[in-house]
Amino acid sequence: MGYRAPPSGVTLDETDAAIVKGMLARGDRQHDIAAWFGVNGGRIGEIAARRKFRNVAPAQESLLPPPGPYLSGRESMVALKALEEAKSALVRAEQMLK
């Protein structure tokens, strides 16, 4: 019996589907769109193939996130650590000035 992770619980609604369609129309890769929403690429494929949210119109360009690729989980953790270290340095500097 193979291991299967529990479902993430992340679902896409009509607003998300409109953004997905807008990103697809802009030419974003399905992989990048899936990463933005934190879903399996198959969910984006279902929208692209019109199997889900068939009647939802694409979102306007102004409502779309910036084009990918996006940071990986690993890259996000490195960035978060750097921000935490910078925040600590700022707090220490502020305390020294008081």
Side-chain angles (χ1 to χ4, degrees), residues 42-65:
R43 303 302 67 81
I44 305 307
E46 290 171 342
I47 295 170
R50 300 179 48 92
R51 287 193 299 274
K52 299 276 183 166
F53 300 105
R54 179 181 306 239
N55 297 321
V56 173
Q60 297 175 28
E61 177 86 23
S62 64
L63 300 175
L64 302 181

Side-chain angles (χ1 to χ4, degrees), residues 32 35-36 68-80:
D32 291 333
W36 176 261
Y70 305 105
L71 293 178
S72 69
R74 184 178 311 163
E75 292 167 324
S76 296
M77 290 300 297
V78 169
L80 182 59

Side-chain angles (χ1 to χ4, degrees), residues 25-46:
R26 180 174 66 189
D28 292 24
R29 297 180 313 162
Q30 289 187 22
H31 173 84
D32 291 333
I33 299 169
W36 176 261
F37 284 98
V39 298
N40 180 290
R43 303 302 67 81
I44 305 307
E46 290 171 342

Side-chain angles (χ1 to χ4, degrees), residues 1-8 40 43:
M1 178 186 224
Y3 174 76
R4 184 177 178 113
S8 68
N40 180 290
R43 303 302 67 81

